[in-house]
Amino acid sequence: MTEAMIFFLMGLMILGSIIALESKDLLSSVIAIGAVGFMLSVIFLLLRAPDIAIVQVVIEILTLIILIRVTISRDIHIIGDTREFLPFALNMVLLVIFFIIAAEAIRNMPAFGTGVSKVAFPYLSRGLNDTGSANIVTSVILDYRAYDTLGEATVLFTALIGAITILRREAKK
Amino acid sequence: MIYVMCLALFVVGLYGICCKKNLIKIILGFIIMDYAVNLFIILIGYRKNGIAPILDKTMDVNKFALSSVDPMPQAIVLTAIVIGLAVTALMVAVCVRIYERYGTFDITKIRKLKG
C-alpha cells in the first residue's frame, strides 16, 4: 500500500517537474515546482522520515519565496524557450544514454525495502543510552556526527555570505 | 523499479539544465535534481513495514533496532536539504544581478562582455 502511494506520488512529481520546465509563464512554473516539493514532503512522511518531511516543508516555502521574489516583478513571457534543434537532439540522445546506463547500474543495488546498513545498527541500539535523545536522527546529527553538522553550517554561511555580497548595493570603500 | 522512477526524476532535472535557455528554468532543473538525489538516499534507507527512528518509552530497544528504518541517510539528507536552499539562494542572487545588467534571463543573449 505504501509503495503504491509512493509510486503514485512519484509519478505526479515527474509530471509536475515536466510542467514546471515546459510552462510558458515563469510564475506558473515556480508554483509547479512548489507543488513538486510538497509532494516530496508527503513521500518523506510515507517513508517514515518525519524530521525530513518537516524540514522539506520549511525549505520549500523559503525556496518559493525566493523564486517568486525574483520572477513576480519582472514581466517576462517566454516564447521560444528550448534551444535550437541540433543541440536539442544531441542532448536528448545523451540523456537517454545516461538513463539506460544508470538504470543498468541501479539494477545491481539491493532491493527496495531491505534492511538497515551496518553503520546504523549501533546507533539504533545504543543511541538512547549514549546521547539521551529519543529521536535517533537527532542523536546522529548532533552527537555522533556533529562535525558533519558543523561543516554543513560552514557551507551554509559561506553560501549566504556569497549571496549577500552579490546583492549588496554598493561596494565598501 | 521505484529507484528507476527516482532516476527518471533526476533525468527530467538534467533535461532542464541541458536544454533550457531561461536562467530561472535552469535553476528549477537544479532544484529538481536536488529533490531526486535526496529522495533516492532516503529510499535506500527504507525498511518494509518499518517505524520512524524515534523511540517510545514503552518500546524495547532491541526490538526497536530490528524494526526501525535507517537513521543515517535521514541525518545526511537533513543537512543536504538545507545546503540545497543556500546554494539556490546564491544562484538566484547571481541571476538577479545578471538581469539587472542585461535585462534578460535568456542565456543565448547574455554573450557580450560589459566591463
Side-chain angles (χ1 to χ4, degrees):
Chain A
M1 181 59 197
T2 313
E3 283 165 52
M5 282 288 285
I6 293 170
F7 240 80
F8 178 64
L9 281 170
M10 279 172 83
L12 282 184
M13 273 179 80
I14 293 173
L15 205 65
S17 315
I18 293 172
I19 290 171
L21 289 175
E22 292 299 331
S23 164
K24 296 278 179 216
D25 186 24
L26 272 186
L27 193 57
S28 45
S29 55
V30 168
I31 290 167
I33 214 80
V36 173
F38 287 122
M39 275 185 261
L40 180 66
S41 170
V42 175
I43 292 181
F44 283 154
L45 210 55
L46 289 174
L47 288 171
R48 310 286 191 276
D51 310 282
I52 316 272
I54 295 166
V55 171
Q56 176 66 36
V57 168
V58 174
I59 294 295
E60 188 53 46
I61 292 169
L62 288 176
T63 311
L64 270 183
I65 291 171
I66 293 171
L67 284 173
I68 288 178
R69 169 74 186 75
V70 177
T71 50
I72 202 165
S73 56
R74 294 166 177 80
D75 188 27
I76 310 155
H77 292 285
I78 321 148
I79 298 161
D81 189 30
T82 312
R83 293 191 185 203
E84 302 84 12
F85 177 70
L86 186 62
F88 181 73
L90 202 61
N91 269 325
M92 291 313 276
V93 170
L94 285 178
L95 285 178
V96 169
I97 291 172
F98 171 78
F99 184 81
I100 289 168
I101 293 175
E104 194 63 31
I106 277 174
R107 193 185 292 172
N108 294 325
M109 287 184 56
F112 174 66
T114 54
V116 174
S117 61
K118 270 183 197 158
V119 184
F121 197 74
Y123 292 164
L124 284 172
S125 52
R126 296 210 314 258
L128 183 62
N129 289 330
D130 282 358
T131 64
S133 161
N135 189 343
I136 306 297
V137 176
T138 313
S139 75
V140 171
I141 59 172
L142 291 182
D143 192 301
Y144 291 116
R145 301 203 172 221
Y147 282 122
D148 190 22
T149 311
L150 183 67
E152 177 236 347
T154 315
V155 174
L156 186 68
F157 280 111
T158 314
L160 284 181
I161 287 169
I164 291 168
T165 314
I166 291 169
L167 286 178
R168 196 170 50 187
R169 276 293 151 203
E170 27 189 286
K172 272 195 179 140
K173 296 280 156 27
Chain B
M1 186 57 203
I2 209 158
Y3 291 149
V4 177
M5 289 281 276
C6 204
L7 178 66
L9 191 64
F10 184 86
V11 170
V12 170
L14 202 60
Y15 159 76
I17 289 182
C18 291
C19 300
K20 288 294 169 189
K21 271 203 258 182
N22 194 299
L23 271 174
I24 298 292
K25 290 281 176 76
I26 292 173
I27 291 177
L28 293 187
F30 175 83
I31 293 174
I32 292 167
M33 279 170 73
D34 199 20
Y35 288 164
V37 172
N38 289 339
L39 180 57
F40 185 64
I41 297 173
I42 293 287
L43 280 173
I44 290 173
Y46 183 66
R47 168 146 58 188
K48 261 180 195 152
N49 303 317
I51 54 171
I54 298 172
L55 260 169
D56 204 346
K57 256 185 191 163
T58 58
M59 215 180 281
D60 181 38
V61 171
N62 288 319
K63 221 175 109 189
F64 168 73
L66 287 176
S67 63
S68 163
V69 299
D70 200 339
M72 267 299 294
Q74 299 195 11
I76 288 168
V77 165
L78 204 64
T79 61
I81 290 176
V82 180
I83 290 176
L85 173 72
V87 172
T88 309
L90 183 61
M91 287 194 297
V92 167
V94 173
C95 280
V96 169
R97 280 294 176 226
I98 287 177
Y99 187 84
E100 279 179 9
R101 176 153 289 199
Y102 290 92
T104 176
F105 278 131
D106 192 339
I107 56 168
T108 53
K109 286 176 189 156
I110 307 169
R111 277 182 183 152
K112 284 169 283 183
L113 288 172
K114 286 185 189 171

Coordinates of all heavy atoms in Angstrom, one line a residue, chain A residues 165-170, chain B residues 92-102:
Chain A
T165 N 26.9 39.3 -0.5 CA 27.9 40.1 -1.1 C 27.5 40.5 -2.6 O 27.7 41.6 -3.0 CB 29.2 39.3 -1.2 OG1 29.5 38.8 0.1 CG2 30.4 40.2 -1.6
I166 N 26.9 39.5 -3.3 CA 26.5 39.8 -4.6 C 25.3 40.8 -4.7 O 25.3 41.7 -5.5 CB 26.1 38.5 -5.3 CG1 27.3 37.6 -5.5 CG2 25.4 38.7 -6.7 CD1 27.1 36.2 -6.0
L167 N 24.4 40.7 -3.7 CA 23.2 41.5 -3.7 C 23.5 42.9 -3.1 O 22.6 43.7 -3.1 CB 22.1 40.8 -3.0 CG 21.4 39.7 -3.8 CD1 20.4 39.1 -3.0 CD2 20.9 40.2 -5.1
R168 N 24.6 43.1 -2.5 CA 24.9 44.4 -1.9 C 24.8 45.6 -2.9 O 25.3 45.5 -4.0 CB 26.2 44.3 -1.2 CG 26.5 45.4 -0.1 CD 27.7 45.1 0.6 NE 28.8 44.9 -0.3 CZ 30.0 44.5 0.2 NH1 30.2 44.2 1.4 NH2 31.0 44.3 -0.7
R169 N 24.3 46.7 -2.4 CA 24.0 47.8 -3.4 C 25.4 48.4 -3.8 O 25.6 48.6 -5.0 CB 23.2 48.8 -2.7 CG 21.7 48.5 -2.8 CD 21.2 48.6 -4.2 NE 20.1 47.8 -4.4 CZ 19.6 47.3 -5.5 NH1 20.3 47.6 -6.6 NH2 18.6 46.5 -5.6
E170 N 26.2 48.8 -2.9 CA 27.4 49.5 -3.3 C 28.6 48.9 -2.5 O 28.5 48.4 -1.4 CB 27.4 51.0 -2.9 CG 26.4 51.3 -1.8 CD 26.3 52.8 -1.7 OE1 27.2 53.4 -1.2 OE2 25.2 53.3 -2.0
Chain B
V92 N 20.2 32.3 -7.3 CA 19.2 33.3 -7.6 C 19.8 34.7 -7.5 O 19.5 35.6 -8.3 CB 18.0 33.2 -6.6 CG1 17.1 34.4 -6.7 CG2 17.2 31.9 -7.0
A93 N 20.7 34.9 -6.5 CA 21.4 36.3 -6.4 C 22.2 36.6 -7.6 O 22.1 37.7 -8.1 CB 22.3 36.3 -5.1
V94 N 22.9 35.6 -8.1 CA 23.7 35.8 -9.4 C 22.7 36.2 -10.5 O 23.0 37.1 -11.3 CB 24.5 34.6 -9.7 CG1 25.2 34.8 -11.0 CG2 25.6 34.4 -8.6
C95 N 21.6 35.5 -10.6 CA 20.6 35.7 -11.7 C 20.0 37.1 -11.6 O 19.8 37.8 -12.6 CB 19.5 34.7 -11.6 SG 19.9 33.2 -12.3
V96 N 19.7 37.6 -10.4 CA 19.2 38.9 -10.2 C 20.2 40.0 -10.8 O 19.8 40.9 -11.5 CB 18.9 39.2 -8.7 CG1 18.6 40.7 -8.5 CG2 17.7 38.4 -8.3
R97 N 21.5 39.8 -10.4 CA 22.5 40.7 -10.9 C 22.6 40.7 -12.4 O 22.7 41.7 -13.1 CB 23.8 40.4 -10.3 CG 24.0 40.9 -8.9 CD 24.0 42.4 -8.9 NE 24.1 43.0 -7.6 CZ 23.3 44.0 -7.1 NH1 22.4 44.5 -7.9 NH2 23.4 44.4 -5.9
I98 N 22.6 39.5 -13.0 CA 22.6 39.3 -14.5 C 21.4 40.0 -15.1 O 21.6 40.7 -16.1 CB 22.7 37.8 -14.9 CG1 24.0 37.3 -14.5 CG2 22.4 37.7 -16.3 CD1 24.1 35.8 -14.8
Y99 N 20.3 39.9 -14.5 CA 19.1 40.5 -15.1 C 19.2 42.0 -15.0 O 18.8 42.7 -16.0 CB 17.8 40.1 -14.3 CG 16.6 40.5 -15.0 CD1 16.0 39.8 -16.0 CD2 15.9 41.7 -14.5 CE1 14.9 40.3 -16.6 CE2 14.8 42.2 -15.1 CZ 14.3 41.4 -16.2 OH 13.1 41.9 -16.8
E100 N 19.7 42.5 -13.9 CA 19.9 44.0 -13.8 C 20.8 44.5 -14.9 O 20.6 45.6 -15.4 CB 20.4 44.4 -12.4 CG 19.3 44.4 -11.4 CD 19.9 44.8 -10.0 OE1 21.1 45.1 -10.0 OE2 19.1 44.6 -9.1
R101 N 21.9 43.7 -15.2 CA 22.9 44.2 -16.2 C 22.4 44.1 -17.6 O 22.6 44.9 -18.4 CB 24.2 43.5 -15.9 CG 25.2 43.9 -16.9 CD 26.6 43.7 -16.3 NE 26.9 44.7 -15.3 CZ 28.1 45.0 -14.9 NH1 29.1 44.4 -15.4 NH2 28.3 45.9 -14.0
Y102 N 21.8 42.9 -17.9 CA 21.5 42.6 -19.3 C 20.0 42.8 -19.7 O 19.6 42.8 -20.8 CB 21.9 41.2 -19.6 CG 23.4 41.0 -19.7 CD1 24.0 40.6 -18.6 CD2 24.1 41.2 -20.8 CE1 25.4 40.4 -18.6 CE2 25.5 41.0 -20.9 CZ 26.1 40.6 -19.7 OH 27.4 40.4 -19.7

